[in-house]
């Protein structure tokens, strides 16, 4: 029976399915057993005789002793009680602060977020502590269960011995009973002590939940009231009636509260201020390497202000490291970042006029945030927003007019668009404040300014990151490495895309709470990750899909990195054949992709048994129209292992000459001598005849035909041709060139130069060079290269033509 390629394909698929079933079946059975455990009936206890009484008693003594030691450790609750006392005092202080600051429904968003996050941190600590107590109770339950088994065993054993009329040692039985009773009492005491701690924790959790519900209600009401009228208009008598001496008193109280620092918090997280060290180090590094950094266009704005750049990076690193920071600390970090960022951003804008506008925006943001920090009474805060709009709008209008008078300003159009947008926001905010939409006005102004700062900071971070990537690749020792020299630009592009993705994702999740779509970034992530679909018994969520995509992306990037390292580190030193290199890299790529695919399945919660089902369905699909695809894929594997052709080979396929530039999953790319590319299915290279000029060697024979005129010196011609063949630099000496007198042609004596050349890919160039040398040598030696000669016989001719010829001949003779 003759096996064609289809038999090979089906046999290979059958082997793959069988191997996958053999490999994945144990894992799938294990997964099934884990997910649906089967309860096996407990074996009936075997009661030994009196000879086992002593060893059994020793085992019981060991168990009781170890259990009592464990219970002593579990009952050691002094540290937990001290922590609870400290926690209770801290909770009371925070509750007193909340009470002193008034109704949370009248707070600004900053203060609400601060206290809500602080109470969430306390709740997280209580939940962890409650979990620890629960684990202790579980340990006590395990000891109690083992004690009950021992008690039942000894009781049943005693009855068994009595039924057999065997004298039972009363002293030993009494000792066992005493041990078990003592262990029971110790377990009950320990469980009771832990239960009291759990009750205290539960009471504290209830208080915390009450506070959190209050903050959640205030935050929810604030978000819902964003587009509602929640204050009197400026023209209402009730608004003017609010301006009393009490406003100043409330402002002073807010100022005093803002000056009160939470020193315990600062001491607890003082180590986070160590993140200033990388910024200081970065500043000194920029100053030290300012000369080589000047070549990096991305870092020009940093070189001018190295200290601002260092502290800007430090503040960005510190911003989200503090858990539930106090409002004062968050404001200080924001102001520091805005100042440093504005100094740096001033170097990115086109002119001083734009720089002043940038500084003005930063000043407005800091001033407005400061008023929210001291919880400025609402009437005064509303007047601040109105005055801010009335003062800023004319300034922006004048800047637009100045920009319009400036000709040749390419960036002016975008700058003017930003100014017009800012004017629109200020006008809307002013109108909203005047008409009583206080929350909407304040929120719109704050969200717009902070959004602009976020975009500005994101742009600077990208510039810093791109400059850092470029510096690492081009200006350090890495630039001298083989990997960097060959793949440096592509590595920079990949790192840049990854950085852009991270910055965009972070900015989006930062802006979602800012625009009050969610309470915080965590809530936004929970919302998006909560979307899911069900596929049979498997539920796939957005979070799972995101993690799966990240895992597969990392697998692809690692595959590229490993291939590059192999190419520049291992293959370069070992001088490995190019075909072998490509085969190893392809196999590594397939392995990494397979690993990433299996990781994706694991993350998505799909068991490997489902993968076997997918393979079976894939096999059915092959029979319905995927034969060519699988045929080409398996043919590609054959090309990689058997290597009848490999990357770099010079072949003739479909009467086209070219080099193989790539062997892919489905097809092979052949680059012809005309620089066109032919896409050849892999199966065609496996099943059909292909001329491979470089399969085992690049040496090949070149035949150059030559014709000379009859009467030429044959020996001279052969000597000239032999000298030309031997003297060509691309001709090999073994086998030696040969000159053959082939035949007597119609118009010439025909010879052939048969010479072996080093590289068949240069055959057309070598042929041309030899023909040029032959022409030059023949001219010098007087050897004639004839042109085709033919005899013409005229059998009939027109009489008028003959008469004309007779008339012209005598005239020419005269």
């Amino acid at each position: 029976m003759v096996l064609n390629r289809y038999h090979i394909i089906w046999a290979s698929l059958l082997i793959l399915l069988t191997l996958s079933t053999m490999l994945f079946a144990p894992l799938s059975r294990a997964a099934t057993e884990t997910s649906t455990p089967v309860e096996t009936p407990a074996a009936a206890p075997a009661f030994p005789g009196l000879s086992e009484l002593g060893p059994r008693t020793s085992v019981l003594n060991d168990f009781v002793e170890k259990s009592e030691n464990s219970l002593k450790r579990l009952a050691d609750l002094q540290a937990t009680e001290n922590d609870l006392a400290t926690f209770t005092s801290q909770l009371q202080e925070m509750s007193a602060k909340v009470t002193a600051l008034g109704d949370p429904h009248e707070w600004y968003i900053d203060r609400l977020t601060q206290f809500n996050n602080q109470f969430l941190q306390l709740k997280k600590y209580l939940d962890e502590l409650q979990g620890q107590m629960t684990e202790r109770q579980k340990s006590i339950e395990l000891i109690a269960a083992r004690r009950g088994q021992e008690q039942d065993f000894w009781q049943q054993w005693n009855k068994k011995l009595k039924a057999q009329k065997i004298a039972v040692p009363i002293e030993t039985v009494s000792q066992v009973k005493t041990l078990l009773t003592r262990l029971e009492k110790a377990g009950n005491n320990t469980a009771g002590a832990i239960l009291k701690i759990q009750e205290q924790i539960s009471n504290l959790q209830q208080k915390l939940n009450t506070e959190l519900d209050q903050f959640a209600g205030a935050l929810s009401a604030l978000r819902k009231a964003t587009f509602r009228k929640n204050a009197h208009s400026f023209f209402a008598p009730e608004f003017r009636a609010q301006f009393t001496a009490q406003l100043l008193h409330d402002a002073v109280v807010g100022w005093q509260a803002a000056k009160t620092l939470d020193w315990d918090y600062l001491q607890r997280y003082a180590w986070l201020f160590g993140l200033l060290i990388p910024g200081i180090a970065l500043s000194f590094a920029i100053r030290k390497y300012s000369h080589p950094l000047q070549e990096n266009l991305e870092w020009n704005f940093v070189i001018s202000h190295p200290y601002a750049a260092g502290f800007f990076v430090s503040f960005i690193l510190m911003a989200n490291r503090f858990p539930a920071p106090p409002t004062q600390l968050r404001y200080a970090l924001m102001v520091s970042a805005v100042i440093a960022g504005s100094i740096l951003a001033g170097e990115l804008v086109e002119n001083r006029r734009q720089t002043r506008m940038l500084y003005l925006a930063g000043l407005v943001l800091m001033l407005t945030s400061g008023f929210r920090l001291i919880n400025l009474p609402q009437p005064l805060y509303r007047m601040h927003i109105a005055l801010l709009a009335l003062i800023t709008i004319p300034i922006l209008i004048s800047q637009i007019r100045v920009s319009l008078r400036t000709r040749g300003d390419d960036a002016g159009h975008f700058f003017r668009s930003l100014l017009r947008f800012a004017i629109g926001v200020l006008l809307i905010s002013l109108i909203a404040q005047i008409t009583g939409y206080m929350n909407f006005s304040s929120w719109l102004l704050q969200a717009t300014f902070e959004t602009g700062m976020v975009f500005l900071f994101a742009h600077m971070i990208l510039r810093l990151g791109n400059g850092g990537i470029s510096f690492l690749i081009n200006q350090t020792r890495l630039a001298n490495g083989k990997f960097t020299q060959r793949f440096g630009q592509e590595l920079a592009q990949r790192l840049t895309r990854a950085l852009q993705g991270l910055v965009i994702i972070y900015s989006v999740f930062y802006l979602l709470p800012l625009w009050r779509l969610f309470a915080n970034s965590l809530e936004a992530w929970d919302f998006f990750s909560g979307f899911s679909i069900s596929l049979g018994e498997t539920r796939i969520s957005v979070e799972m899909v995101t993690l799966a995509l990240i895992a597969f992306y990392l697998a692809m990037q690692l595959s590229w990195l490993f291939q590059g390292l192999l190419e520049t580190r291992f293959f370069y030193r070992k001088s490995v054949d190019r075909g072998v290199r490509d085969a190893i890299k392809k196999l590594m790529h397939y392995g990494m992709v397979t690993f990433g695919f299996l990781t994706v399945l694991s993350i998505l919660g799909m068991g490997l048994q489902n993968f076997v089902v997918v393979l079976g369905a894939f096999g059915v699909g092959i029979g319905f129209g995927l034969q060519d695809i699988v045929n080409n894929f398996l043919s590609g594997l054959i090309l990689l292992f058997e290597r009848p052709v490999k990357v770099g080979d010079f072949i003739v396929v479909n009467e086209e000459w070219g080099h193989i530039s790539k062997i892919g999953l489905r097809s092979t790319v052949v680059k012809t001598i005309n620089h066109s590319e032919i896409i050849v299915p892999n199966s065609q290279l496996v099943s059909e005849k292909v001329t491979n000029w470089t399969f085992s060697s690049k040496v090949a024979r070149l035949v150059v035909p030559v014709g000379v005129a009859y009467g030429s010196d044959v020996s001279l011609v052969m000597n000239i041709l032999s000298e030309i063949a031997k003297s060509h630099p691309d001709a090999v000496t073994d086998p030696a060139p040969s000159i053959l007198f082939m035949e007597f042609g119609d118009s010439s004596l025909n010879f052939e130069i048969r010479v072996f050349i080093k590289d068949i890919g240069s055959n057309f160039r070598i042929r041309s060079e030899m023909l040029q040398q032959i022409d030059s040598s023949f001219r010098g030696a007087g050897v004639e290269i004839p042109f085709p000669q033919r005899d013409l016989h005229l059998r009939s001719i027109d009489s008028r033509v003959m008469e004309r010829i007779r008339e012209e001949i005598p005239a020419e003779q005269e």
Side-chain angles (χ1 to χ4, degrees), residues 302-321:
V302 173
I303 299 173
S304 304
H305 305 283
Y307 294 107
F311 285 103
F312 174 76
V313 172
S314 295
F315 295 139
I316 294 299
L317 292 176
M318 295 167 59
N320 291 325
R321 293 295 183 272

mmCIF file of all heavy atoms in Angstrom, residues 302-321:
data_model
loop_
_atom_site.group_PDB
_atom_site.id
_atom_site.type_symbol
_atom_site.label_atom_id
_atom_site.label_comp_id
_atom_site.label_asym_id
_atom_site.label_seq_id
_atom_site.Cartn_x
_atom_site.Cartn_y
_atom_site.Cartn_z
ATOM 1 N N VAL A 302 13.823 67.564 30.526
ATOM 2 C CA VAL A 302 14.286 67.100 31.836
ATOM 3 C C VAL A 302 15.659 67.658 32.157
ATOM 4 O O VAL A 302 15.961 67.992 33.310
ATOM 5 C CB VAL A 302 14.308 65.551 31.863
ATOM 6 C CG1 VAL A 302 14.939 65.044 33.137
ATOM 7 C CG2 VAL A 302 12.898 65.019 31.730
ATOM 8 N N ILE A 303 16.514 67.767 31.140
ATOM 9 C CA ILE A 303 17.890 68.216 31.366
ATOM 10 C C ILE A 303 17.900 69.624 31.942
ATOM 11 O O ILE A 303 18.741 69.965 32.786
ATOM 12 C CB ILE A 303 18.683 68.147 30.048
ATOM 13 C CG1 ILE A 303 18.727 66.697 29.548
ATOM 14 C CG2 ILE A 303 20.091 68.681 30.226
ATOM 15 C CD1 ILE A 303 19.330 66.542 28.177
ATOM 16 N N SER A 304 16.952 70.459 31.514
ATOM 17 C CA SER A 304 16.913 71.838 31.998
ATOM 18 C C SER A 304 16.504 71.928 33.460
ATOM 19 O O SER A 304 16.882 72.883 34.150
ATOM 20 C CB SER A 304 15.950 72.663 31.136
ATOM 21 O OG SER A 304 16.316 72.604 29.772
ATOM 22 N N HIS A 305 15.749 70.953 33.958
ATOM 23 C CA HIS A 305 15.262 70.991 35.350
ATOM 24 C C HIS A 305 15.426 69.594 35.974
ATOM 25 O O HIS A 305 14.449 68.865 36.167
ATOM 26 C CB HIS A 305 13.792 71.433 35.397
ATOM 27 C CG HIS A 305 13.531 72.737 34.722
ATOM 28 N ND1 HIS A 305 13.846 73.956 35.287
ATOM 29 C CD2 HIS A 305 12.995 73.022 33.502
ATOM 30 C CE1 HIS A 305 13.503 74.929 34.461
ATOM 31 N NE2 HIS A 305 12.987 74.389 33.372
ATOM 32 N N PRO A 306 16.649 69.213 36.291
ATOM 33 C CA PRO A 306 16.870 67.848 36.807
ATOM 34 C C PRO A 306 16.210 67.602 38.159
ATOM 35 O O PRO A 306 15.676 66.519 38.405
ATOM 36 C CB PRO A 306 18.394 67.752 36.908
ATOM 37 C CG PRO A 306 18.875 69.168 36.972
ATOM 38 C CD PRO A 306 17.908 69.962 36.179
ATOM 39 N N TYR A 307 16.215 68.616 39.040
ATOM 40 C CA TYR A 307 15.617 68.402 40.362
ATOM 41 C C TYR A 307 14.105 68.294 40.266
ATOM 42 O O TYR A 307 13.482 67.479 40.968
ATOM 43 C CB TYR A 307 16.025 69.538 41.303
ATOM 44 C CG TYR A 307 17.503 69.563 41.602
ATOM 45 C CD1 TYR A 307 18.324 70.541 41.057
ATOM 46 C CD2 TYR A 307 18.081 68.580 42.389
ATOM 47 C CE1 TYR A 307 19.683 70.565 41.318
ATOM 48 C CE2 TYR A 307 19.440 68.593 42.657
ATOM 49 C CZ TYR A 307 20.236 69.586 42.109
ATOM 50 O OH TYR A 307 21.579 69.574 42.361
ATOM 51 N N ALA A 308 13.505 69.100 39.432
ATOM 52 C CA ALA A 308 12.054 68.998 39.242
ATOM 53 C C ALA A 308 11.692 67.628 38.687
ATOM 54 O O ALA A 308 10.685 67.026 39.087
ATOM 55 C CB ALA A 308 11.562 70.103 38.308
ATOM 56 N N ALA A 309 12.520 67.126 37.771
ATOM 57 C CA ALA A 309 12.253 65.799 37.195
ATOM 58 C C ALA A 309 12.365 64.711 38.247
ATOM 59 O O ALA A 309 11.516 63.807 38.337
ATOM 60 C CB ALA A 309 13.225 65.525 36.047
ATOM 61 N N GLY A 310 13.399 64.776 39.074
ATOM 62 C CA GLY A 310 13.577 63.752 40.111
ATOM 63 C C GLY A 310 12.441 63.738 41.111
ATOM 64 O O GLY A 310 11.902 62.685 41.446
ATOM 65 N N PHE A 311 12.055 64.920 41.597
ATOM 66 C CA PHE A 311 10.981 64.972 42.584
ATOM 67 C C PHE A 311 9.631 64.639 41.950
ATOM 68 O O PHE A 311 8.767 64.058 42.614
ATOM 69 C CB PHE A 311 10.938 66.349 43.243
ATOM 70 C CG PHE A 311 12.030 66.567 44.244
ATOM 71 C CD1 PHE A 311 13.133 67.342 43.933
ATOM 72 C CD2 PHE A 311 11.975 65.961 45.494
ATOM 73 C CE1 PHE A 311 14.152 67.526 44.851
ATOM 74 C CE2 PHE A 311 12.987 66.139 46.414
ATOM 75 C CZ PHE A 311 14.089 66.923 46.098
ATOM 76 N N PHE A 312 9.449 64.988 40.694
ATOM 77 C CA PHE A 312 8.200 64.626 40.011
ATOM 78 C C PHE A 312 8.044 63.110 39.962
ATOM 79 O O PHE A 312 6.970 62.572 40.256
ATOM 80 C CB PHE A 312 8.193 65.209 38.599
ATOM 81 C CG PHE A 312 7.027 64.771 37.768
ATOM 82 C CD1 PHE A 312 5.765 65.302 37.972
ATOM 83 C CD2 PHE A 312 7.182 63.814 36.779
ATOM 84 C CE1 PHE A 312 4.686 64.901 37.207
ATOM 85 C CE2 PHE A 312 6.116 63.400 36.009
ATOM 86 C CZ PHE A 312 4.861 63.951 36.227
ATOM 87 N N VAL A 313 9.114 62.412 39.614
ATOM 88 C CA VAL A 313 9.066 60.943 39.589
ATOM 89 C C VAL A 313 8.805 60.390 40.983
ATOM 90 O O VAL A 313 8.018 59.446 41.162
ATOM 91 C CB VAL A 313 10.381 60.386 39.004
ATOM 92 C CG1 VAL A 313 10.435 58.869 39.148
ATOM 93 C CG2 VAL A 313 10.524 60.777 37.545
ATOM 94 N N SER A 314 9.437 60.956 41.997
ATOM 95 C CA SER A 314 9.233 60.470 43.369
ATOM 96 C C SER A 314 7.789 60.667 43.815
ATOM 97 O O SER A 314 7.180 59.766 44.419
ATOM 98 C CB SER A 314 10.177 61.197 44.326
ATOM 99 O OG SER A 314 11.522 60.882 44.044
ATOM 100 N N PHE A 315 7.218 61.834 43.537
ATOM 101 C CA PHE A 315 5.843 62.097 43.961
ATOM 102 C C PHE A 315 4.858 61.187 43.240
ATOM 103 O O PHE A 315 3.859 60.739 43.824
ATOM 104 C CB PHE A 315 5.492 63.564 43.717
ATOM 105 C CG PHE A 315 6.297 64.517 44.556
ATOM 106 C CD1 PHE A 315 6.792 65.694 44.022
ATOM 107 C CD2 PHE A 315 6.572 64.221 45.875
ATOM 108 C CE1 PHE A 315 7.534 66.565 44.790
ATOM 109 C CE2 PHE A 315 7.323 65.088 46.661
ATOM 110 C CZ PHE A 315 7.811 66.266 46.115
ATOM 111 N N ILE A 316 5.138 60.897 41.962
ATOM 112 C CA ILE A 316 4.269 59.977 41.233
ATOM 113 C C ILE A 316 4.347 58.585 41.850
ATOM 114 O O ILE A 316 3.340 57.883 42.005
ATOM 115 C CB ILE A 316 4.657 59.950 39.746
ATOM 116 C CG1 ILE A 316 4.366 61.305 39.096
ATOM 117 C CG2 ILE A 316 3.900 58.853 39.018
ATOM 118 C CD1 ILE A 316 2.922 61.716 39.119
ATOM 119 N N LEU A 317 5.550 58.164 42.242
ATOM 120 C CA LEU A 317 5.715 56.848 42.869
ATOM 121 C C LEU A 317 5.027 56.791 44.229
ATOM 122 O O LEU A 317 4.475 55.756 44.612
ATOM 123 C CB LEU A 317 7.201 56.522 43.026
ATOM 124 C CG LEU A 317 7.993 56.273 41.732
ATOM 125 C CD1 LEU A 317 9.467 56.058 42.058
ATOM 126 C CD2 LEU A 317 7.443 55.062 40.991
ATOM 127 N N MET A 318 5.054 57.892 44.965
ATOM 128 C CA MET A 318 4.495 57.903 46.317
ATOM 129 C C MET A 318 2.983 58.061 46.323
ATOM 130 O O MET A 318 2.334 57.721 47.313
ATOM 131 C CB MET A 318 5.127 59.042 47.129
ATOM 132 C CG MET A 318 6.611 58.878 47.383
ATOM 133 S SD MET A 318 7.377 60.394 48.007
ATOM 134 C CE MET A 318 6.436 60.678 49.493
ATOM 135 N N ALA A 319 2.413 58.590 45.235
ATOM 136 C CA ALA A 319 1.011 59.008 45.246
ATOM 137 C C ALA A 319 0.071 57.889 45.651
ATOM 138 O O ALA A 319 -0.846 58.083 46.457
ATOM 139 C CB ALA A 319 0.622 59.566 43.874
ATOM 140 N N ASN A 320 0.273 56.699 45.124
ATOM 141 C CA ASN A 320 -0.661 55.602 45.376
ATOM 142 C C ASN A 320 -0.077 54.536 46.295
ATOM 143 O O ASN A 320 -0.617 53.442 46.374
ATOM 144 C CB ASN A 320 -1.079 54.954 44.057
ATOM 145 C CG ASN A 320 -1.956 55.862 43.224
ATOM 146 O OD1 ASN A 320 -2.756 56.610 43.761
ATOM 147 N ND2 ASN A 320 -1.776 55.827 41.913
ATOM 148 N N ARG A 321 1.026 54.837 46.952
ATOM 149 C CA ARG A 321 1.605 53.874 47.888
ATOM 150 C C ARG A 321 1.038 54.027 49.296
ATOM 151 O O ARG A 321 1.004 53.074 50.055
ATOM 152 C CB ARG A 321 3.128 54.025 47.939
ATOM 153 C CG ARG A 321 3.841 53.649 46.655
ATOM 154 C CD ARG A 321 3.675 52.177 46.340
ATOM 155 N NE ARG A 321 4.413 51.780 45.147
ATOM 156 C CZ ARG A 321 3.948 51.838 43.927
ATOM 157 N NH1 ARG A 321 2.721 52.307 43.716
ATOM 158 N NH2 ARG A 321 4.679 51.449 42.898
#
